[in-house]
Amino acid sequence: MLDAMLLLESVAVVSLLSVIALRLRVLDIAGTALAALLGLIVYWAFGRGGFLVLALFVVVAGITTKFGYMKKSLKGGAEPRMGLRGWRNVAGNGLLAALIALAQLMSPEPNEVLVSSYLGAVSAVFGDTMATEVGLLSRGQPRLILGLGRVQPGTPGGVTLLGYLGALSSGIVLSGATIALGALNPMSRSLSIPVAIGGAIVGTTVDSLVGQLFQAIYACDGCGALTEHSLHCGRKGRLVKGYRIVGNQFVNFVASLSGASWGLAVVLAS
């Protein structure tokens, strides 16, 4: 049974952050609505600390996406709509974390396995987003994670050293937050470091591998660009590589699953 004060607090906090997300144009209306729902589930399952982990991802990733946006756009790798993300982005990045939170809500007591899996899932998508957005600011050309061939910025499977440093920084931020605030009981604070940092690196790597091997790539008949977006220049692109079902959000979900699996493995091995 949810505590009445926690219920009121969660609604107030999530509502405030939703307004901020809309004003800063981090999420559109549909994305904000879904993010609010997922955020409430996480708040009720894992408390303030668990919600803080998710909020840090949304806020830091949103700011990083907008930082240097014009430079990223000129490289052809920037998020569409000036970094404004919709419900599909939210689902790809946050659905698994919310499902784990639902499992915790149905559990009679706090479960270390679920807590660690949750932190791993969020760390994975946080790391992947930071790797992409920070990596786009790299002066060097990305290389494919398999084969190391040079590719254009934004190409699925392309990685940079700067991008991996961005992923590492996200893991450090999350592990630091959980240690400082004791945020995710009953998980040991000492486990938060390998779960958060390892989850960020694992998620980033898995995202790149799946992106290179299976993600759909389209050719735009308008400008001739190769893109992961099925619509470009106002028209539908031609599939030239990968599978239509394996879009960016599908890849993000797989990355979050890899992070959750990492978190599970760390707890079972401890």
Side-chain angles (χ1 to χ4, degrees):
M1 191 71 178
L2 288 174
D3 179 82
M5 289 304 296
L6 178 65
L7 185 62
L8 290 173
E9 175 188 309
S10 65
V11 172
V13 171
V14 171
S15 297
L16 175 62
L17 291 180
S18 296
V19 172
I20 293 174
L22 285 171
R23 292 294 299 271
L24 294 180
R25 295 186 61 78
V26 172
L27 298 170
D28 64 16
I29 294 177
T32 300
L34 181 57
L37 174 61
L38 300 186
L40 286 172
I41 293 171
V42 167
Y43 213 123
W44 298 336
F46 297 120
R48 301 182 186 95
F51 180 76
L52 171 67
V53 167
L54 190 62
L56 274 173
F57 161 53
V58 174
V59 172
V60 175
I63 292 173
T64 306
T65 297
K66 292 183 179 298
F67 181 78
Y69 186 86
M70 293 309 298
K71 180 178 180 179
K72 298 172 186 176
S73 183
L74 290 173
K75 288 185 175 184
E79 267 300 304
R81 302 193 300 167
M82 294 296 293
L84 183 68
R85 289 180 163 92
W87 70 267
R88 291 181 177 84
N89 300 91
V90 174
N93 286 313
L95 180 59
L96 181 62
L99 291 175
I100 295 171
L102 280 175
Q104 177 62 75
L105 280 175
M106 293 185 288
S107 178
E109 59 186 21
N111 188 307
E112 187 177 38
V113 168
L114 292 175
V115 169
S116 184
S117 298
Y118 167 75
L119 179 58
V122 177
S123 296
V125 294
F126 192 4
D128 173 52
T129 302
M130 292 294 286
T132 299
E133 297 301 334
V134 174
L136 284 170
L137 299 175
S138 176
R139 293 183 179 180
Q141 195 170 5
R143 291 180 178 272
L144 288 172
I145 193 167
L146 294 177
L148 300 180
R150 295 183 183 274
V151 291
Q152 293 300 311
T155 301
V159 297
T160 63
L161 176 58
L162 186 61
Y164 263 103
L165 290 176
L168 177 63
S169 70
S170 70
I172 293 173
V173 166
L174 285 189
S175 62
T178 57
I179 290 173
L181 302 177
L184 286 169
N185 295 323
M187 188 176 71
S188 166
R189 292 187 180 186
S190 63
L191 289 182
S192 66
I193 297 175
V195 171
I197 295 178
I201 299 301
V202 168
T204 298
T205 302
V206 168
D207 184 279
S208 297
L209 288 169
V210 175
Q212 180 179 345
L213 295 173
F214 306 110
Q215 188 169 350
I217 300 295
Y218 300 89
C220 176
D221 291 329
C223 67
L226 293 178
T227 175
E228 64 185 37
H229 303 289
S230 59
L231 294 176
H232 200 266
C233 293
R235 64 182 71 185
K236 193 172 183 179
R238 292 181 290 105
L239 181 70
V240 295
K241 182 178 180 292
Y243 303 89
R244 290 187 186 276
I245 192 174
V246 187
N248 187 50
Q249 310 320 321
F250 181 93
V251 176
N252 287 343
F253 183 84
V254 173
S256 69
L257 182 60
S258 72
S261 300
W262 171 261
L264 173 64
V266 169
V267 167
L268 294 180
S270 65

